[in-house]
Amino acid sequence: EGRLGLGVRTSMGVREEVWEVLAVNKFDSTRKRMSVLVRSPPELGSIPMLLCKGADSAMLDPTVVKDPSHIVGGNEDAKTISARGKAVEDSVENDYDIDSNLSLQSHLGEFAREGLRTLVLGVRILSESECSDWLDEYQEAATSIKNRDEL
């Protein structure tokens, strides 16, 4: 826990940002993923974000991905993502979620057939209450002697 400075290159040169690291849930062979809870710099809104990386089998597990509408392909830009989000909200029946997930699984399958290893990256922007709840659960698990993996 502490502060982590990250350099970000912009069109006007290099600007340094300081992101606060709130918690690190280290990689382990049971979870097959690692999570880091960070807070963006004040100039970016001090927004809590959960960053997670791990094996595709762990990251795309139905218990982890409860709503596949949040899956974003690597070839989508911000306008496309924003428009898709609006379309999903407006549509009662939308097959895009299923198509996105199947497309992602298909690409991962192709990579595996070629012998490539893959990591899936996830980002979730949290509300302040979600951040507080996450930190409470993290602290409980970190200080637990029994059933730590279940917490």
Side-chain angles (χ1 to χ4, degrees), residues 93-150:
E93 293 182 288
N94 192 324
D95 292 333
Y96 187 86
D97 299 345
I98 295 167
D99 292 344
S100 279
N101 202 6
L102 290 175
S103 176
L104 182 58
Q105 294 288 356
S106 172
H107 287 298
L108 290 169
E110 287 176 37
F111 296 148
R113 280 190 294 282
E114 292 179 27
L116 301 172
R117 296 181 61 197
T118 58
L119 280 178
V120 173
L121 305 176
V123 178
R124 179 162 178 193
I125 296 173
L126 303 176
S127 68
E128 289 299 329
S129 66
E130 288 174 318
C131 179
S132 179
D133 291 347
W134 195 96
L135 283 169
D136 289 345
E137 285 185 42
Y138 172 81
Q139 194 62 34
E140 182 182 344
T143 57
S144 176
I145 296 173
K146 294 182 180 179
N147 302 327
R148 178 180 282 187
D149 291 338
E150 294 174 18

Side-chain angles (χ1 to χ4, degrees), residues 35-73:
S35 305
V36 180
L37 183 61
V38 297
R39 184 174 298 281
S40 68
E43 60 270 20
L44 296 177
S46 297
I47 299 169
M49 299 169 63
L50 183 62
L51 311 172
C52 191
K53 71 171 186 169
D56 54 66
S57 60
M59 293 289 291
L60 299 174
D61 185 288
T63 61
V64 175
V65 181
K66 293 185 173 108
D67 182 2
S69 67
H70 299 297
I71 294 175
V72 176

